[in-house]
Amino acid sequence: MSARDALPAAGSMVLTVERGMQVLRAFRSSRAPLSNAELVRRTGMSKAAVSRLTSTLTQLGYIRNVPGRREFELAAGPLGVGHAFLSSSELLRTANPFMQQLADRLGVSVALAMGNGNDMLYIAYRASHKVATLRLGTGSVLPMGTTSIGHAFLWALPAGEQKRTIAALQRGAPGDAADMLRGIRESFGELDSSGVCGVLGGFQRDTYGVALPVRVGRKRVVMGLSCGKADLQPDLAAERKRIAPVLRDAAGRMEALLADFDGEP
């Protein structure tokens, strides 16, 4: 078989891998088991495609059946990939101590995230010992359209990319697209005026996040940096006022710290 003849098979393989990753991303950070029907809703794929992919991912050890239920949960397979990534990432070895100092100073959790489809993927995460709840972690996936870290990331994108990304978010959330867009615009107004934005309950009830964008490395890769935690009836305005000046200063120092980084996170 010639290389030319092999191209369709290679293209099909790449598409299958991409769809498999889309299924894995659908589990997000809630870690709740998902049925094929819910995976169809989250990914937009057909029932047949999702059924084939969950069967394959189960065989490969990336997801597993929940005993006694027709649902799936993440298995140990992705963890091995994640740990290999963490151990080899110079960026994270540099950023983590800095983020831990910030978390301890403010008594919050601190996350550094990059865009991942319609979500934000935490590539680094540190929490103060005072944070007993909302302990997520590196590898957690939060919705871009409703969180402060997602809004900060969106705000910093080039105009054309920002418009395309917001359109994709609207298509992915037809039921509450208007509310989501209103929240994004409110955050953009805050970012325009103060350089940070705050969102209450964007991912989970009684949680807040205060975030801004950072540009990492020689390629100036846009990411989001946030501080937040879960609290009983948090006062977002007070927390934003407390956190904002410290976070703005920290973002500048983090960009300088990572200025010479070159390559993928």
Side-chain angles (χ1 to χ4, degrees):
M1 180 183 291
S2 68
R4 184 186 184 93
D5 293 334
L7 285 176
S12 177
M13 183 180 297
V14 170
L15 180 59
T16 299
V17 171
E18 289 178 347
R19 287 179 171 175
M21 294 301 294
Q22 189 176 352
V23 169
L24 292 175
R25 287 196 297 267
F27 282 86
R28 299 180 177 169
S29 58
S30 64
R31 299 183 176 88
L34 300 177
S35 64
N36 276 343
E38 178 61 18
L39 288 168
V40 167
R41 190 189 71 80
R42 292 192 179 191
T43 64
M45 297 184 213
S46 68
K47 294 181 180 178
V50 166
S51 180
R52 287 194 300 269
L53 287 166
T54 52
S55 176
T56 300
L57 291 168
T58 300
Q59 293 175 35
L60 292 173
Y62 285 95
I63 62 176
R64 61 191 172 203
N65 289 102
V66 178
R69 297 161 63 178
R70 300 180 66 179
E71 293 177 321
F72 301 92
E73 61 186 3
L74 288 177
L79 297 179
V81 177
H83 286 306
F85 163 76
L86 292 176
S87 64
S88 63
S89 174
E90 183 62 33
L91 183 149
L92 298 190
R93 285 198 294 270
T94 303
N96 279 334
F98 179 86
M99 292 173 59
Q100 187 65 60
Q101 291 176 5
L102 180 61
D104 291 339
R105 178 179 177 183
L106 292 171
V108 296
S109 62
V110 177
L112 178 67
M114 60 193 302
N116 184 41
N118 285 1
D119 299 304
M120 297 299 294
L121 172 66
Y122 280 9
I123 65 167
Y125 180 89
R126 283 292 181 268
S128 164
H129 69 278
K130 297 179 181 179
V131 176
T133 57
L134 195 65
R135 282 187 172 269
L136 299 174
T138 300
S140 294
V141 180
L142 272 65
M144 185 184 297
T146 60
T147 58
S148 63
I149 199 166
H151 293 177
F153 171 80
L154 281 169
W155 180 76
L157 292 177
E161 185 178 355
Q162 181 190 93
K163 183 177 180 180
R164 290 190 297 272
T165 304
I166 291 176
L169 290 172
Q170 289 179 283
R171 289 194 298 271
D176 54 2
D179 288 341
M180 180 191 68
L181 188 58
R182 188 179 304 111
I184 291 173
R185 287 173 175 165
E186 289 176 358
S187 288
F188 280 14
E190 292 178 17
L191 286 155
D192 287 338
S193 62
S194 68
V196 303
C197 66
V199 172
L200 180 63
F203 166 62
Q204 184 177 312
R205 186 179 178 182
D206 291 332
T207 64
Y208 70 85
V210 179
L212 46 59
V214 290
R215 292 164 179 81
V216 175
R218 295 176 185 173
K219 296 182 180 179
R220 305 284 289 167
V221 177
V222 175
M223 298 186 188
L225 179 67
S226 73
C227 296
K229 66 177 181 180
D231 206 351
L232 184 62
Q233 298 181 331
D235 185 337
L236 179 60
E239 289 302 303
R240 182 170 49 216
K241 183 178 180 180
R242 178 179 74 93
I243 290 171
V246 179
L247 184 57
R248 284 194 295 262
D249 176 69
R253 289 190 288 127
M254 174 174 276
E255 288 185 346
L257 185 68
L258 303 176
D260 292 331
F261 176 77
D262 190 13
E264 294 299 319

